[in-house]
Amino acid sequence: QVQLVESGGGLVQPGGSLRLSCAASGFTFSTTLMSWYRQAPGKERELVAAITKVGDITNYADSVKGRFTISRDNAKNTVYLQMNSLKPEDTAVYYCVARRGRDYWGQGTQVTVSS
């Protein structure tokens, strides 16, 4: 079955960096569009970034453009989210999502940006 396991979250000071990873299994990763979403307390889930099957096209929410970078390694069945210049408003649970006819979600990893 489809499994998505996120890692790399934690507590970081404003201006700091984190790299999230999502290890995928149970499906053909290299033919799957992958995305990162996030959900902050009291807010709806929002799309943060997406990447095409071979990684040639990426898309970002306006709020993270220039600070976050999504990438993938199809040989390792892993998608990444490099987050730089983090702000308190980036605090959220971050989810990895695989789109294969329907969306499959990981369990999420908490990112907290606070001094």
Side-chain angles (χ1 to χ4, degrees):
Q1 70 275 21
V2 173
Q3 282 196 318
L4 300 167
V5 180
E6 301 98 334
S7 61
L11 173 64
V12 63
Q13 292 187 342
S17 298
L18 284 174
R19 188 173 87 149
L20 306 183
S21 299
C22 172
S25 61
F27 64 98
T28 306
F29 181 78
S30 61
T31 63
T32 303
L33 176 76
M34 299 297 298
S35 304
W36 286 95
Y37 280 72
R38 68 185 180 186
Q39 186 167 23
K43 296 187 177 181
E44 294 186 353
R45 284 180 181 177
E46 64 170 342
L47 175 66
V48 176
I51 187 167
T52 50
K53 302 169 187 177
V54 296
D56 55 336
I57 300 173
T58 56
N59 184 45
Y60 298 93
D62 288 342
S63 58
V64 307
K65 279 181 182 176
R67 300 188 297 122
F68 290 12
T69 302
I70 188 171
S71 62
R72 65 192 295 161
D73 185 337
N74 286 349
K76 295 182 178 180
N77 287 359
T78 302
V79 61
Y80 305 97
L81 186 67
Q82 177 67 43
M83 305 186 296
N84 299 329
S85 302
L86 283 160
K87 305 175 181 179
E89 51 264 42
D90 294 318
T91 295
V93 178
Y94 284 71
Y95 298 91
C96 173
V97 179
R99 175 158 294 176
R100 294 185 59 81
R102 49 156 283 195
D103 287 344
Y104 294 86
W105 292 73
Q107 295 284 8
T109 185
Q110 176 70 46
V111 171
T112 302
V113 185
S114 175
S115 55

